Amino acid sequence: SVSSLGCVYPKVGILSEPMVTLHERVIRHLVAAKGTWPAVADATGISKRTIEKIVYRQIQDPGVSHIEKLAKYFRCLNE
């Protein structure tokens, strides 16, 4: 059966979490690191304003290069 929380693996019946994209994981890390965005910007080469636009979803598709740089910064590529 399928629930709104995720899906059940048919062979073992374990409820899994809904899949979270790398983009969403990066946004979650950025939200948690809100006071440190200038340091994130300096370390990644992405402007603080662009980081703000990504977090506030003013940029729907920030591009792979930005997301990869931020994911590497937060080390969330293998979560």
Side-chain angles (χ1 to χ4, degrees):
S1 84
V2 177
S3 80
S4 62
L5 299 174
C7 61
V8 175
Y9 290 102
K11 293 185 180 185
V12 291
I14 299 172
L15 187 65
S16 71
E17 303 251 342
M19 190 162 133
V20 178
T21 65
L22 182 59
H23 183 187
E24 188 60 39
R25 288 196 309 261
V26 164
I27 289 174
R28 289 177 184 179
H29 281 280
L30 284 168
V31 168
K34 185 173 184 178
T36 66
W37 290 350
V40 174
D42 288 343
T44 61
I46 300 169
S47 73
K48 182 177 171 253
R49 183 66 186 127
T50 298
I51 289 171
E52 291 170 353
K53 287 180 178 182
I54 292 169
V55 171
Y56 297 124
R57 299 177 193 273
Q58 294 170 343
I59 300 174
Q60 293 300 313
D61 185 6
V64 173
S65 66
H66 284 338
I67 295 301
E68 284 182 344
K69 286 177 187 176
L70 290 165
K72 286 179 185 175
Y73 178 83
F74 289 114
R75 297 185 178 120
C76 62
L77 285 173
N78 295 320
E79 287 182 359

